PDB file of all heavy atoms in Angstrom:
ATOM      1  N   GLU F   1       2.492  10.858   4.507  1.00 96.00           N
ATOM      2  CA  GLU F   1       3.906  10.595   4.788  1.00 96.00           C
ATOM      3  C   GLU F   1       4.224   9.174   4.302  1.00 96.00           C
ATOM      4  O   GLU F   1       3.691   8.212   4.838  1.00 96.00           O
ATOM      5  CB  GLU F   1       4.228  10.755   6.239  1.00 96.00           C
ATOM      6  CG  GLU F   1       5.684  10.467   6.564  1.00 96.00           C
ATOM      7  CD  GLU F   1       5.944  10.609   8.060  1.00 96.00           C
ATOM      8  OE1 GLU F   1       5.358   9.867   8.842  1.00 96.00           O
ATOM      9  OE2 GLU F   1       6.747  11.454   8.454  1.00 96.00           O
ATOM     10  N   LEU F   2       5.092   9.073   3.294  1.00 97.00           N
ATOM     11  CA  LEU F   2       5.438   7.780   2.718  1.00 97.00           C
ATOM     12  C   LEU F   2       6.314   6.976   3.671  1.00 97.00           C
ATOM     13  O   LEU F   2       7.359   7.443   4.111  1.00 97.00           O
ATOM     14  CB  LEU F   2       6.137   7.992   1.372  1.00 97.00           C
ATOM     15  CG  LEU F   2       6.360   6.729   0.553  1.00 97.00           C
ATOM     16  CD1 LEU F   2       5.055   6.109   0.128  1.00 97.00           C
ATOM     17  CD2 LEU F   2       7.212   7.073  -0.673  1.00 97.00           C
ATOM     18  N   ILE F   3       5.913   5.733   3.952  1.00 97.00           N
ATOM     19  CA  ILE F   3       6.704   4.830   4.811  1.00 97.00           C
ATOM     20  C   ILE F   3       7.478   3.843   3.968  1.00 97.00           C
ATOM     21  O   ILE F   3       8.701   3.719   4.082  1.00 97.00           O
ATOM     22  CB  ILE F   3       5.787   4.160   5.804  1.00 97.00           C
ATOM     23  CG1 ILE F   3       5.144   5.180   6.779  1.00 97.00           C
ATOM     24  CG2 ILE F   3       6.563   3.083   6.621  1.00 97.00           C
ATOM     25  CD1 ILE F   3       4.138   4.580   7.658  1.00 97.00           C
ATOM     26  N   THR F   4       6.760   3.125   3.124  1.00 97.00           N
ATOM     27  CA  THR F   4       7.390   2.129   2.223  1.00 97.00           C
ATOM     28  C   THR F   4       7.138   2.572   0.783  1.00 97.00           C
ATOM     29  O   THR F   4       5.983   2.617   0.376  1.00 97.00           O
ATOM     30  CB  THR F   4       6.821   0.728   2.427  1.00 97.00           C
ATOM     31  OG1 THR F   4       6.955   0.389   3.833  1.00 97.00           O
ATOM     32  CG2 THR F   4       7.567  -0.301   1.605  1.00 97.00           C
ATOM     33  N   PRO F   5       8.186   2.889   0.027  1.00 97.00           N
ATOM     34  CA  PRO F   5       7.994   3.366  -1.375  1.00 97.00           C
ATOM     35  C   PRO F   5       7.306   2.339  -2.245  1.00 97.00           C
ATOM     36  O   PRO F   5       7.287   1.156  -1.984  1.00 97.00           O
ATOM     37  CB  PRO F   5       9.426   3.661  -1.809  1.00 97.00           C
ATOM     38  CG  PRO F   5      10.230   3.775  -0.581  1.00 97.00           C
ATOM     39  CD  PRO F   5       9.581   2.882   0.409  1.00 97.00           C
ATOM     40  N   LEU F   6       6.799   2.841  -3.337  1.00 97.00           N
ATOM     41  CA  LEU F   6       6.154   1.989  -4.366  1.00 97.00           C
ATOM     42  C   LEU F   6       7.138   0.971  -4.860  1.00 97.00           C
ATOM     43  O   LEU F   6       8.240   1.252  -5.257  1.00 97.00           O
ATOM     44  CB  LEU F   6       5.674   2.852  -5.524  1.00 97.00           C
ATOM     45  CG  LEU F   6       4.848   2.155  -6.612  1.00 97.00           C
ATOM     46  CD1 LEU F   6       3.552   1.605  -6.081  1.00 97.00           C
ATOM     47  CD2 LEU F   6       4.672   3.072  -7.821  1.00 97.00           C
ATOM     48  N   ARG F   7       6.670  -0.336  -4.901  1.00 97.00           N
ATOM     49  CA  ARG F   7       7.537  -1.417  -5.325  1.00 97.00           C
ATOM     50  C   ARG F   7       6.647  -2.542  -5.808  1.00 97.00           C
ATOM     51  O   ARG F   7       5.447  -2.550  -5.576  1.00 97.00           O
ATOM     52  CB  ARG F   7       8.441  -1.935  -4.171  1.00 97.00           C
ATOM     53  CG  ARG F   7       7.624  -2.616  -3.080  1.00 97.00           C
ATOM     54  CD  ARG F   7       8.407  -2.802  -1.792  1.00 97.00           C
ATOM     55  NE  ARG F   7       7.745  -3.635  -0.822  1.00 97.00           N
ATOM     56  CZ  ARG F   7       6.720  -3.200  -0.081  1.00 97.00           C
ATOM     57  NH1 ARG F   7       6.242  -2.004  -0.184  1.00 97.00           N
ATOM     58  NH2 ARG F   7       6.133  -4.019   0.810  1.00 97.00           N
ATOM     59  N   GLN F   8       7.258  -3.531  -6.489  1.00 97.00           N
ATOM     60  CA  GLN F   8       6.482  -4.726  -6.907  1.00 97.00           C
ATOM     61  C   GLN F   8       6.784  -5.850  -5.933  1.00 97.00           C
ATOM     62  O   GLN F   8       7.917  -6.038  -5.425  1.00 97.00           O
ATOM     63  CB  GLN F   8       6.931  -5.141  -8.289  1.00 97.00           C
ATOM     64  CG  GLN F   8       6.440  -4.245  -9.410  1.00 97.00           C
ATOM     65  CD  GLN F   8       6.612  -4.902 -10.773  1.00 97.00           C
ATOM     66  OE1 GLN F   8       6.131  -5.977 -10.997  1.00 97.00           O
ATOM     67  NE2 GLN F   8       7.308  -4.187 -11.661  1.00 97.00           N
ATOM     68  N   GLN F   9       5.738  -6.686  -5.677  1.00 96.00           N
ATOM     69  CA  GLN F   9       5.927  -7.852  -4.861  1.00 96.00           C
ATOM     70  C   GLN F   9       4.783  -8.844  -5.171  1.00 96.00           C
ATOM     71  O   GLN F   9       3.778  -8.511  -5.786  1.00 96.00           O
ATOM     72  CB  GLN F   9       5.911  -7.489  -3.388  1.00 96.00           C
ATOM     73  CG  GLN F   9       4.544  -7.086  -2.831  1.00 96.00           C
ATOM     74  CD  GLN F   9       4.530  -6.834  -1.325  1.00 96.00           C
ATOM     75  OE1 GLN F   9       5.490  -6.237  -0.783  1.00 96.00           O
ATOM     76  NE2 GLN F   9       3.505  -7.329  -0.661  1.00 96.00           N
ATOM     77  N   VAL F  10       4.963 -10.073  -4.663  1.00 97.00           N
ATOM     78  CA  VAL F  10       3.925 -11.090  -4.816  1.00 97.00           C
ATOM     79  C   VAL F  10       2.985 -11.015  -3.636  1.00 97.00           C
ATOM     80  O   VAL F  10       3.480 -10.995  -2.474  1.00 97.00           O
ATOM     81  CB  VAL F  10       4.580 -12.477  -4.910  1.00 97.00           C
ATOM     82  CG1 VAL F  10       3.478 -13.577  -4.858  1.00 97.00           C
ATOM     83  CG2 VAL F  10       5.403 -12.645  -6.168  1.00 97.00           C
ATOM     84  N   ASP F  11       1.741 -10.882  -3.909  1.00 97.00           N
ATOM     85  CA  ASP F  11       0.718 -10.847  -2.842  1.00 97.00           C
ATOM     86  C   ASP F  11      -0.545 -11.563  -3.380  1.00 97.00           C
ATOM     87  O   ASP F  11      -1.296 -10.959  -4.177  1.00 97.00           O
ATOM     88  CB  ASP F  11       0.401  -9.422  -2.419  1.00 97.00           C
ATOM     89  CG  ASP F  11      -0.435  -9.375  -1.139  1.00 97.00           C
ATOM     90  OD1 ASP F  11      -1.537  -9.922  -1.114  1.00 97.00           O
ATOM     91  OD2 ASP F  11       0.079  -8.769  -0.131  1.00 97.00           O
ATOM     92  N   LEU F  12      -0.721 -12.815  -2.964  1.00 96.00           N
ATOM     93  CA  LEU F  12      -1.788 -13.611  -3.522  1.00 96.00           C
ATOM     94  C   LEU F  12      -3.176 -13.041  -3.181  1.00 96.00           C
ATOM     95  O   LEU F  12      -4.055 -12.999  -4.048  1.00 96.00           O
ATOM     96  CB  LEU F  12      -1.711 -15.035  -2.964  1.00 96.00           C
ATOM     97  CG  LEU F  12      -0.409 -15.808  -3.303  1.00 96.00           C
ATOM     98  CD1 LEU F  12      -0.479 -17.211  -2.688  1.00 96.00           C
ATOM     99  CD2 LEU F  12      -0.245 -15.928  -4.784  1.00 96.00           C
ATOM    100  N   ASP F  13      -3.366 -12.582  -1.979  1.00 96.00           N
ATOM    101  CA  ASP F  13      -4.648 -12.038  -1.540  1.00 96.00           C
ATOM    102  C   ASP F  13      -5.017 -10.783  -2.330  1.00 96.00           C
ATOM    103  O   ASP F  13      -6.114 -10.681  -2.865  1.00 96.00           O
ATOM    104  CB  ASP F  13      -4.689 -11.767  -0.058  1.00 96.00           C
ATOM    105  CG  ASP F  13      -5.993 -11.197   0.408  1.00 96.00           C
ATOM    106  OD1 ASP F  13      -7.003 -11.968   0.350  1.00 96.00           O
ATOM    107  OD2 ASP F  13      -6.073 -10.030   0.813  1.00 96.00           O
ATOM    108  N   ALA F  14      -4.089  -9.833  -2.349  1.00 97.00           N
ATOM    109  CA  ALA F  14      -4.373  -8.586  -3.069  1.00 97.00           C
ATOM    110  C   ALA F  14      -4.606  -8.819  -4.562  1.00 97.00           C
ATOM    111  O   ALA F  14      -5.486  -8.244  -5.164  1.00 97.00           O
ATOM    112  CB  ALA F  14      -3.224  -7.603  -2.842  1.00 97.00           C
ATOM    113  N   ALA F  15      -3.744  -9.710  -5.175  1.00 97.00           N
ATOM    114  CA  ALA F  15      -3.930  -9.993  -6.608  1.00 97.00           C
ATOM    115  C   ALA F  15      -5.273 -10.606  -6.901  1.00 97.00           C
ATOM    116  O   ALA F  15      -5.917 -10.303  -7.914  1.00 97.00           O
ATOM    117  CB  ALA F  15      -2.792 -10.894  -7.038  1.00 97.00           C
ATOM    118  N   GLY F  16      -5.720 -11.500  -6.000  1.00 96.00           N
ATOM    119  CA  GLY F  16      -7.026 -12.122  -6.159  1.00 96.00           C
ATOM    120  C   GLY F  16      -8.180 -11.102  -6.069  1.00 96.00           C
ATOM    121  O   GLY F  16      -9.098 -11.121  -6.828  1.00 96.00           O
ATOM    122  N   ARG F  17      -8.062 -10.226  -5.089  1.00 96.00           N
ATOM    123  CA  ARG F  17      -9.115  -9.192  -4.924  1.00 96.00           C
ATOM    124  C   ARG F  17      -9.149  -8.197  -6.114  1.00 96.00           C
ATOM    125  O   ARG F  17     -10.200  -7.659  -6.416  1.00 96.00           O
ATOM    126  CB  ARG F  17      -8.923  -8.489  -3.585  1.00 96.00           C
ATOM    127  CG  ARG F  17      -9.093  -9.411  -2.427  1.00 96.00           C
ATOM    128  CD  ARG F  17      -8.869  -8.652  -1.080  1.00 96.00           C
ATOM    129  NE  ARG F  17      -9.892  -7.645  -0.813  1.00 96.00           N
ATOM    130  CZ  ARG F  17      -9.922  -6.860   0.234  1.00 96.00           C
ATOM    131  NH1 ARG F  17      -8.959  -6.972   1.161  1.00 96.00           N
ATOM    132  NH2 ARG F  17     -10.847  -5.958   0.366  1.00 96.00           N
ATOM    133  N   LEU F  18      -7.985  -7.987  -6.692  1.00 97.00           N
ATOM    134  CA  LEU F  18      -7.868  -7.113  -7.832  1.00 97.00           C
ATOM    135  C   LEU F  18      -8.222  -7.812  -9.175  1.00 97.00           C
ATOM    136  O   LEU F  18      -8.141  -7.158 -10.228  1.00 97.00           O
ATOM    137  CB  LEU F  18      -6.491  -6.465  -7.906  1.00 97.00           C
ATOM    138  CG  LEU F  18      -6.166  -5.404  -6.869  1.00 97.00           C
ATOM    139  CD1 LEU F  18      -4.693  -5.110  -6.838  1.00 97.00           C
ATOM    140  CD2 LEU F  18      -6.966  -4.105  -7.112  1.00 97.00           C
ATOM    141  N   ARG F  19      -8.515  -9.101  -9.063  1.00 95.00           N
ATOM    142  CA  ARG F  19      -8.889  -9.929 -10.243  1.00 95.00           C
ATOM    143  C   ARG F  19      -7.773  -9.969 -11.271  1.00 95.00           C
ATOM    144  O   ARG F  19      -7.999  -9.839 -12.489  1.00 95.00           O
ATOM    145  CB  ARG F  19     -10.213  -9.414 -10.872  1.00 95.00           C
ATOM    146  CG  ARG F  19     -11.387  -9.353  -9.882  1.00 95.00           C
ATOM    147  CD  ARG F  19     -12.695  -9.441 -10.627  1.00 95.00           C
ATOM    148  NE  ARG F  19     -12.882  -8.403 -11.626  1.00 95.00           N
ATOM    149  CZ  ARG F  19     -13.562  -7.224 -11.372  1.00 95.00           C
ATOM    150  NH1 ARG F  19     -14.042  -6.985 -10.186  1.00 95.00           N
ATOM    151  NH2 ARG F  19     -13.697  -6.363 -12.349  1.00 95.00           N
ATOM    152  N   LEU F  20      -6.528 -10.143 -10.798  1.00 96.00           N
ATOM    153  CA  LEU F  20      -5.352 -10.184 -11.697  1.00 96.00           C
ATOM    154  C   LEU F  20      -5.075 -11.598 -12.147  1.00 96.00           C
ATOM    155  O   LEU F  20      -5.373 -12.555 -11.464  1.00 96.00           O
ATOM    156  CB  LEU F  20      -4.132  -9.606 -10.982  1.00 96.00           C
ATOM    157  CG  LEU F  20      -4.220  -8.165 -10.507  1.00 96.00           C
ATOM    158  CD1 LEU F  20      -2.956  -7.774  -9.763  1.00 96.00           C
ATOM    159  CD2 LEU F  20      -4.490  -7.200 -11.689  1.00 96.00           C
ATOM    160  N   GLN F  21      -4.454 -11.708 -13.333  1.00 93.00           N
ATOM    161  CA  GLN F  21      -4.033 -13.009 -13.821  1.00 93.00           C
ATOM    162  C   GLN F  21      -2.768 -13.537 -13.169  1.00 93.00           C
ATOM    163  O   GLN F  21      -2.563 -14.720 -13.022  1.00 93.00           O
ATOM    164  CB  GLN F  21      -3.862 -12.932 -15.346  1.00 93.00           C
ATOM    165  CG  GLN F  21      -5.121 -12.579 -16.139  1.00 93.00           C
ATOM    166  CD  GLN F  21      -6.211 -13.646 -16.022  1.00 93.00           C
ATOM    167  OE1 GLN F  21      -5.906 -14.813 -16.037  1.00 93.00           O
ATOM    168  NE2 GLN F  21      -7.449 -13.218 -15.837  1.00 93.00           N
ATOM    169  N   SER F  22      -1.911 -12.575 -12.744  1.00 93.00           N
ATOM    170  CA  SER F  22      -0.665 -12.985 -12.051  1.00 93.00           C
ATOM    171  C   SER F  22      -0.830 -12.662 -10.568  1.00 93.00           C
ATOM    172  O   SER F  22      -1.820 -12.087 -10.102  1.00 93.00           O
ATOM    173  CB  SER F  22       0.518 -12.221 -12.664  1.00 93.00           C
ATOM    174  OG  SER F  22       0.463 -10.845 -12.292  1.00 93.00           O
ATOM    175  N   ASP F  23       0.270 -12.980  -9.796  1.00 96.00           N
ATOM    176  CA  ASP F  23       0.227 -12.755  -8.379  1.00 96.00           C
ATOM    177  C   ASP F  23       1.014 -11.514  -7.964  1.00 96.00           C
ATOM    178  O   ASP F  23       1.171 -11.218  -6.751  1.00 96.00           O
ATOM    179  CB  ASP F  23       0.818 -13.966  -7.623  1.00 96.00           C
ATOM    180  CG  ASP F  23      -0.032 -15.231  -7.869  1.00 96.00           C
ATOM    181  OD1 ASP F  23      -1.263 -15.077  -8.019  1.00 96.00           O
ATOM    182  OD2 ASP F  23       0.570 -16.309  -7.957  1.00 96.00           O
ATOM    183  N   ARG F  24       1.565 -10.808  -8.902  1.00 97.00           N
ATOM    184  CA  ARG F  24       2.405  -9.619  -8.629  1.00 97.00           C
ATOM    185  C   ARG F  24       1.562  -8.360  -8.665  1.00 97.00           C
ATOM    186  O   ARG F  24       0.685  -8.167  -9.532  1.00 97.00           O
ATOM    187  CB  ARG F  24       3.552  -9.509  -9.638  1.00 97.00           C
ATOM    188  CG  ARG F  24       4.558 -10.658  -9.592  1.00 97.00           C
ATOM    189  CD  ARG F  24       5.785 -10.381 -10.378  1.00 97.00           C
ATOM    190  NE  ARG F  24       6.586  -9.350  -9.767  1.00 97.00           N
ATOM    191  CZ  ARG F  24       7.450  -9.545  -8.760  1.00 97.00           C
ATOM    192  NH1 ARG F  24       7.621 -10.802  -8.291  1.00 97.00           N
ATOM    193  NH2 ARG F  24       8.159  -8.589  -8.264  1.00 97.00           N
ATOM    194  N   VAL F  25       1.832  -7.522  -7.686  1.00 98.00           N
ATOM    195  CA  VAL F  25       1.136  -6.196  -7.586  1.00 98.00           C
ATOM    196  C   VAL F  25       2.191  -5.132  -7.287  1.00 98.00           C
ATOM    197  O   VAL F  25       3.294  -5.412  -6.840  1.00 98.00           O
ATOM    198  CB  VAL F  25       0.037  -6.179  -6.488  1.00 98.00           C
ATOM    199  CG1 VAL F  25      -1.042  -7.209  -6.798  1.00 98.00           C
ATOM    200  CG2 VAL F  25       0.702  -6.507  -5.123  1.00 98.00           C
ATOM    201  N   HIS F  26       1.812  -3.876  -7.539  1.00 98.00           N
ATOM    202  CA  HIS F  26       2.563  -2.748  -7.010  1.00 98.00           C
ATOM    203  C   HIS F  26       1.978  -2.381  -5.674  1.00 98.00           C
ATOM    204  O   HIS F  26       0.737  -2.416  -5.476  1.00 98.00           O
ATOM    205  CB  HIS F  26       2.441  -1.565  -7.946  1.00 98.00           C
ATOM    206  CG  HIS F  26       3.405  -1.601  -9.120  1.00 98.00           C
ATOM    207  ND1 HIS F  26       3.255  -2.503 -10.137  1.00 98.00           N
ATOM    208  CD2 HIS F  26       4.500  -0.866  -9.428  1.00 98.00           C
ATOM    209  CE1 HIS F  26       4.235  -2.303 -11.052  1.00 98.00           C
ATOM    210  NE2 HIS F  26       4.964  -1.299 -10.582  1.00 98.00           N
ATOM    211  N   THR F  27       2.817  -2.058  -4.709  1.00 98.00           N
ATOM    212  CA  THR F  27       2.268  -1.756  -3.363  1.00 98.00           C
ATOM    213  C   THR F  27       3.117  -0.658  -2.728  1.00 98.00           C
ATOM    214  O   THR F  27       4.304  -0.493  -3.069  1.00 98.00           O
ATOM    215  CB  THR F  27       2.287  -3.003  -2.470  1.00 98.00           C
ATOM    216  OG1 THR F  27       1.671  -2.655  -1.205  1.00 98.00           O
ATOM    217  CG2 THR F  27       3.685  -3.533  -2.220  1.00 98.00           C
ATOM    218  N   LEU F  28       2.556   0.056  -1.832  1.00 98.00           N
ATOM    219  CA  LEU F  28       3.220   1.114  -1.015  1.00 98.00           C
ATOM    220  C   LEU F  28       2.470   1.253   0.293  1.00 98.00           C
ATOM    221  O   LEU F  28       1.360   0.818   0.403  1.00 98.00           O
ATOM    222  CB  LEU F  28       3.320   2.412  -1.797  1.00 98.00           C
ATOM    223  CG  LEU F  28       1.992   3.099  -2.181  1.00 98.00           C
ATOM    224  CD1 LEU F  28       1.491   4.075  -1.089  1.00 98.00           C
ATOM    225  CD2 LEU F  28       2.159   3.863  -3.481  1.00 98.00           C
ATOM    226  N   GLU F  29       3.107   1.888   1.243  1.00 98.00           N
ATOM    227  CA  GLU F  29       2.523   2.094   2.542  1.00 98.00           C
ATOM    228  C   GLU F  29       2.782   3.543   3.003  1.00 98.00           C
ATOM    229  O   GLU F  29       3.874   4.079   2.817  1.00 98.00           O
ATOM    230  CB  GLU F  29       3.115   1.136   3.582  1.00 98.00           C
ATOM    231  CG  GLU F  29       2.448   1.204   4.983  1.00 98.00           C
ATOM    232  CD  GLU F  29       3.089   0.167   5.947  1.00 98.00           C
ATOM    233  OE1 GLU F  29       4.328   0.082   5.949  1.00 98.00           O
ATOM    234  OE2 GLU F  29       2.355  -0.477   6.698  1.00 98.00           O
ATOM    235  N   PHE F  30       1.756   4.157   3.546  1.00 97.00           N
ATOM    236  CA  PHE F  30       1.920   5.538   4.057  1.00 97.00           C
ATOM    237  C   PHE F  30       1.016   5.758   5.235  1.00 97.00           C
ATOM    238  O   PHE F  30       0.103   4.970   5.497  1.00 97.00           O
ATOM    239  CB  PHE F  30       1.609   6.533   2.952  1.00 97.00           C
ATOM    240  CG  PHE F  30       0.170   6.539   2.447  1.00 97.00           C
ATOM    241  CD1 PHE F  30      -0.807   7.302   3.144  1.00 97.00           C
ATOM    242  CD2 PHE F  30      -0.214   5.785   1.352  1.00 97.00           C
ATOM    243  CE1 PHE F  30      -2.101   7.244   2.671  1.00 97.00           C
ATOM    244  CE2 PHE F  30      -1.520   5.755   0.913  1.00 97.00           C
ATOM    245  CZ  PHE F  30      -2.479   6.496   1.577  1.00 97.00           C
ATOM    246  N   ARG F  31       1.284   6.800   5.994  1.00 95.00           N
ATOM    247  CA  ARG F  31       0.385   7.209   7.023  1.00 95.00           C
ATOM    248  C   ARG F  31      -0.078   8.642   6.737  1.00 95.00           C
ATOM    249  O   ARG F  31       0.650   9.392   6.049  1.00 95.00           O
ATOM    250  CB  ARG F  31       1.004   7.149   8.432  1.00 95.00           C
ATOM    251  CG  ARG F  31       2.176   8.055   8.683  1.00 95.00           C
ATOM    252  CD  ARG F  31       2.703   7.886  10.113  1.00 95.00           C
ATOM    253  NE  ARG F  31       3.782   8.816  10.388  1.00 95.00           N
ATOM    254  CZ  ARG F  31       4.334   8.963  11.592  1.00 95.00           C
ATOM    255  NH1 ARG F  31       3.871   8.256  12.603  1.00 95.00           N
ATOM    256  NH2 ARG F  31       5.330   9.836  11.778  1.00 95.00           N
ATOM    257  N   ARG F  32      -1.253   8.951   7.217  1.00 92.00           N
ATOM    258  CA  ARG F  32      -1.811  10.302   6.999  1.00 92.00           C
ATOM    259  C   ARG F  32      -1.872  11.024   8.288  1.00 92.00           C
ATOM    260  O   ARG F  32      -2.249  10.448   9.325  1.00 92.00           O
ATOM    261  CB  ARG F  32      -3.134  10.205   6.261  1.00 92.00           C
ATOM    262  CG  ARG F  32      -3.572  11.540   5.650  1.00 92.00           C
ATOM    263  CD  ARG F  32      -4.647  11.339   4.612  1.00 92.00           C
ATOM    264  NE  ARG F  32      -4.181  10.828   3.344  1.00 92.00           N
ATOM    265  CZ  ARG F  32      -3.594  11.537   2.429  1.00 92.00           C
ATOM    266  NH1 ARG F  32      -3.385  12.862   2.643  1.00 92.00           N
ATOM    267  NH2 ARG F  32      -3.210  11.005   1.261  1.00 92.00           N
ATOM    268  N   LEU F  33      -1.498  12.325   8.248  1.00 90.00           N
ATOM    269  CA  LEU F  33      -1.398  13.141   9.449  1.00 90.00           C
ATOM    270  C   LEU F  33      -2.282  14.383   9.317  1.00 90.00           C
ATOM    271  O   LEU F  33      -2.445  14.907   8.220  1.00 90.00           O
ATOM    272  CB  LEU F  33       0.022  13.570   9.779  1.00 90.00           C
ATOM    273  CG  LEU F  33       1.090  12.469   9.841  1.00 90.00           C
ATOM    274  CD1 LEU F  33       1.779  12.270   8.481  1.00 90.00           C
ATOM    275  CD2 LEU F  33       2.156  12.791  10.905  1.00 90.00           C
ATOM    276  N   HIS F  34      -2.824  14.796  10.459  1.00 83.00           N
ATOM    277  CA  HIS F  34      -3.503  16.095  10.513  1.00 83.00           C
ATOM    278  C   HIS F  34      -2.850  16.891  11.647  1.00 83.00           C
ATOM    279  O   HIS F  34      -2.817  16.452  12.802  1.00 83.00           O
ATOM    280  CB  HIS F  34      -4.971  15.872  10.841  1.00 83.00           C
ATOM    281  CG  HIS F  34      -5.789  17.141  11.007  1.00 83.00           C
ATOM    282  ND1 HIS F  34      -6.001  18.016   9.960  1.00 83.00           N
ATOM    283  CD2 HIS F  34      -6.317  17.691  12.106  1.00 83.00           C
ATOM    284  CE1 HIS F  34      -6.691  19.066  10.403  1.00 83.00           C
ATOM    285  NE2 HIS F  34      -6.894  18.869  11.690  1.00 83.00           N
ATOM    286  N   ASP F  35      -2.329  18.062  11.321  1.00 81.00           N
ATOM    287  CA  ASP F  35      -1.539  18.868  12.271  1.00 81.00           C
ATOM    288  C   ASP F  35      -0.472  18.057  12.952  1.00 81.00           C
ATOM    289  O   ASP F  35      -0.210  18.109  14.138  1.00 81.00           O
ATOM    290  CB  ASP F  35      -2.502  19.434  13.382  1.00 81.00           C
ATOM    291  CG  ASP F  35      -3.405  20.520  12.844  1.00 81.00           C
ATOM    292  OD1 ASP F  35      -3.085  21.108  11.790  1.00 81.00           O
ATOM    293  OD2 ASP F  35      -4.471  20.736  13.439  1.00 81.00           O
ATOM    294  N   ASP F  36       0.239  17.239  12.083  1.00 88.00           N
ATOM    295  CA  ASP F  36       1.344  16.399  12.493  1.00 88.00           C
ATOM    296  C   ASP F  36       0.971  15.220  13.426  1.00 88.00           C
ATOM    297  O   ASP F  36       1.829  14.575  14.020  1.00 88.00           O
ATOM    298  CB  ASP F  36       2.450  17.261  13.148  1.00 88.00           C
ATOM    299  CG  ASP F  36       3.314  17.945  12.141  1.00 88.00           C
ATOM    300  OD1 ASP F  36       3.431  17.461  10.990  1.00 88.00           O
ATOM    301  OD2 ASP F  36       3.854  19.015  12.462  1.00 88.00           O
ATOM    302  N   VAL F  37      -0.309  15.013  13.597  1.00 88.00           N
ATOM    303  CA  VAL F  37      -0.794  13.916  14.412  1.00 88.00           C
ATOM    304  C   VAL F  37      -1.239  12.782  13.496  1.00 88.00           C
ATOM    305  O   VAL F  37      -2.179  12.933  12.678  1.00 88.00           O
ATOM    306  CB  VAL F  37      -1.976  14.327  15.310  1.00 88.00           C
ATOM    307  CG1 VAL F  37      -2.491  13.125  16.093  1.00 88.00           C
ATOM    308  CG2 VAL F  37      -1.537  15.427  16.234  1.00 88.00           C
ATOM    309  N   PRO F  38      -0.575  11.574  13.527  1.00 92.00           N
ATOM    310  CA  PRO F  38      -0.994  10.450  12.681  1.00 92.00           C
ATOM    311  C   PRO F  38      -2.355   9.900  13.071  1.00 92.00           C
ATOM    312  O   PRO F  38      -2.598   9.750  14.264  1.00 92.00           O
ATOM    313  CB  PRO F  38       0.128   9.457  12.856  1.00 92.00           C
ATOM    314  CG  PRO F  38       0.690   9.717  14.213  1.00 92.00           C
ATOM    315  CD  PRO F  38       0.566  11.224  14.409  1.00 92.00           C
ATOM    316  N   PHE F  39      -3.205   9.666  12.119  1.00 90.00           N
ATOM    317  CA  PHE F  39      -4.537   9.120  12.395  1.00 90.00           C
ATOM    318  C   PHE F  39      -4.875   7.871  11.582  1.00 90.00           C
ATOM    319  O   PHE F  39      -5.847   7.214  11.797  1.00 90.00           O
ATOM    320  CB  PHE F  39      -5.607  10.174  12.288  1.00 90.00           C
ATOM    321  CG  PHE F  39      -5.821  10.655  10.879  1.00 90.00           C
ATOM    322  CD1 PHE F  39      -6.712  10.025  10.019  1.00 90.00           C
ATOM    323  CD2 PHE F  39      -5.113  11.768  10.417  1.00 90.00           C
ATOM    324  CE1 PHE F  39      -6.885  10.504   8.706  1.00 90.00           C
ATOM    325  CE2 PHE F  39      -5.306  12.207   9.143  1.00 90.00           C
ATOM    326  CZ  PHE F  39      -6.204  11.614   8.256  1.00 90.00           C
ATOM    327  N   CYS F  40      -4.031   7.594  10.562  1.00 92.00           N
ATOM    328  CA  CYS F  40      -4.388   6.505   9.621  1.00 92.00           C
ATOM    329  C   CYS F  40      -3.109   5.941   9.006  1.00 92.00           C
ATOM    330  O   CYS F  40      -2.197   6.675   8.633  1.00 92.00           O
ATOM    331  CB  CYS F  40      -5.297   7.073   8.543  1.00 92.00           C
ATOM    332  SG  CYS F  40      -5.620   5.964   7.184  1.00 92.00           S
ATOM    333  N   LEU F  41      -3.059   4.612   8.924  1.00 96.00           N
ATOM    334  CA  LEU F  41      -1.977   3.918   8.233  1.00 96.00           C
ATOM    335  C   LEU F  41      -2.611   3.108   7.111  1.00 96.00           C
ATOM    336  O   LEU F  41      -3.526   2.331   7.326  1.00 96.00           O
ATOM    337  CB  LEU F  41      -1.221   2.956   9.180  1.00 96.00           C
ATOM    338  CG  LEU F  41      -0.050   2.190   8.575  1.00 96.00           C
ATOM    339  CD1 LEU F  41       1.091   3.142   8.262  1.00 96.00           C
ATOM    340  CD2 LEU F  41       0.392   1.096   9.525  1.00 96.00           C
TER     341      LEU F  41
END
């Protein structure tokens, strides 16, 4: 279940971990459900 749609933003930590030259990344947020019960964000 999509919570925050895919978008671009500046994220220094994520960009560093992804070994990027810039600080911009694509990001999104979702939760996963089993039998309509959320268990993971």
Side-chain angles (χ1 to χ4, degrees):
E1 181 181 59
L2 188 64
I3 296 174
T4 305
L6 184 67
R7 67 195 189 284
Q8 288 194 55
Q9 71 175 41
V10 172
D11 192 300
L12 299 179
D13 179 66
R17 295 178 67 180
L18 288 166
R19 305 204 301 265
L20 300 177
Q21 297 297 319
S22 71
D23 298 327
R24 297 191 68 83
V25 297
H26 278 68
T27 184
L28 60 91
E29 185 180 43
F30 64 87
R31 64 178 182 174
R32 198 162 281 281
L33 306 93
H34 177 68
D35 290 337
D36 282 332
V37 177
F39 66 89
C40 171
L41 181 70

